[in-house]
């Protein structure tokens, strides 16, 4: 496994949460609740990969504590619409964090991912960016989103792509194009099927989370 890919420790607790959100019979309320728990783990892990500097504080007992403070500012960038489900997990960890949005859809003429909308913090080039999207399948949307960030002056090594599930094909597509980013994920699945869906996967995350599955 490349040093650019960081997978959450497969604890019994994490595997139980992933079992719930992967189960096709899981009710939407439970899917949201347990997905949010995994997202919180992922955000905490992503924050661990940011740089810190040493500091010292004085405790109420008058003693000095040698600690750390984050080095630099961060922001979240969600790839619409599924990435929006991860925004609250970031807010829960980083109060008043700035969040940008990128909408990428398939171009019907070229079958390639196309940027339809982006709204980013004005100083995004001065921030570490947590790029949020629950699933990394082919890597097309992720690469397009990364290109948008790079075009706004963000350095590649200041981008952390955070997702719940990815597959080897997506990892290869992203890191071959952008070798200096980091990928933070909960689990790596077997691969893609003939329809480019992740196997075993968990279905359409956005539809399950936002309640727009077709009956």
């Amino acid at each position: 496994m490349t040093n650019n890919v960081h997978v959450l420790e497969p604890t019994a607790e994490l595997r139980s949460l992933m079992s719930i959100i992967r189960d096709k019979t899981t009710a939407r309320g439970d899917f949201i609740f347990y997905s949010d728990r995994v997202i919180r783990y992922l955000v905490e892990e992503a924050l661990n990969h940011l740089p810190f500097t040493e500091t010292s504080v004085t405790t109420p007992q008058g003693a000095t504590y040698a600690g750390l403070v984050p080095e630099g500012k961060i922001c979240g960038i969600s790839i619409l619409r599924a990435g929006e489900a991860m925004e609250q997990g970031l807010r829960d960890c980083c109060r008043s964090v700035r969040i940008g949005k990128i909408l990428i859809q398939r171009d019907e003429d070229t079958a390639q991912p196309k940027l339809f909308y982006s709204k980013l913090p004005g100083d995004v080039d001065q921030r570490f960016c947590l790029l949020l999207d629950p699933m990394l399948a082919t890597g097309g949307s992720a690469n397009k989103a990364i290109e948008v960030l790079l075009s706004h002056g963000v350095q590649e090594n200041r981008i952390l792509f955070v997702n719940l599930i990815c597959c080897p094909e997506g990892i290869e597509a992203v890191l071959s194009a952008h070798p200096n980013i980091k990928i933070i994920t909960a689990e790596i699945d077997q691969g893609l099927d003939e329809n480019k869906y992740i196997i075993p996967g968990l279905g359409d995350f956005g539809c399950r989370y936002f309640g727009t599955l077709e009956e």
Side-chain angles (χ1 to χ4, degrees), residues 23-24 26-28 31 81 202-215:
D23 188 341
K24 68 178 183 180
T26 296
R28 176 173 174 249
F31 182 84
R81 77 176 163 155
L202 53 71
D204 189 313
F205 184 95
C207 286
R208 294 186 70 184
Y209 195 95
F210 294 113
T212 53
L213 283 172
E214 295 183 1
E215 299 296 336

Side-chain angles (χ1 to χ4, degrees), residues 1-29:
M1 180 64 62
T2 173
N3 292 331
N4 295 66
V5 180
H6 303 272
V7 184
L8 294 183
E9 182 181 353
T11 62
E13 174 67 7
L14 177 62
R15 292 188 65 195
S16 71
L17 297 177
M18 297 301 293
S19 297
I20 293 171
I21 65 176
R22 287 179 185 274
D23 188 341
K24 68 178 183 180
T25 67
T26 296
R28 176 173 174 249

Side-chain angles (χ1 to χ4, degrees), residues 146-159:
I146 293 168
E147 290 170 10
V148 172
L149 295 178
L150 296 178
S151 72
H152 282 77
V154 178
Q155 298 178 39
E156 195 173 272
N157 61 3
R158 293 169 71 93
I159 300 172

Side-chain angles (χ1 to χ4, degrees), residues 21-92:
I21 65 176
R22 287 179 185 274
D23 188 341
K24 68 178 183 180
T25 67
T26 296
R28 176 173 174 249
D30 287 337
F31 182 84
I32 293 172
F33 179 81
Y34 293 107
S35 292
D36 285 348
R37 288 189 59 188
V38 177
I39 291 167
R40 177 68 177 266
Y41 288 148
L42 286 164
V43 171
E44 296 280 13
E45 177 64 21
L47 295 176
N48 277 329
H49 291 276
L50 297 176
F52 290 80
T53 57
E54 295 182 352
T55 190
S56 62
V57 298
T58 302
T59 72
Q61 285 73 28
T64 299
Y65 174 77
L68 298 171
V69 292
E71 181 181 309
K73 300 177 291 185
I74 71 167
C75 66
I77 307 293
S78 59
I79 300 179
L80 303 176
R81 77 176 163 155
E84 288 185 303
M86 305 178 71
E87 293 177 3
Q88 188 58 49
L90 179 56
R91 291 191 181 100
D92 288 343

Side-chain angles (χ1 to χ4, degrees), residues 75-78 98-103 115 117-125 127 129 131 145-154:
C75 66
I77 307 293
S78 59
R98 296 187 181 184
I99 294 181
K101 299 178 186 290
I102 296 175
L103 174 61
L115 174 66
Y117 171 84
S118 68
K119 185 67 174 180
L120 306 177
D123 60 349
V124 67
D125 60 321
R127 296 176 179 270
C129 297
L131 184 61
I146 293 168
E147 290 170 10
V148 172
L149 295 178
L150 296 178
S151 72
H152 282 77
V154 178

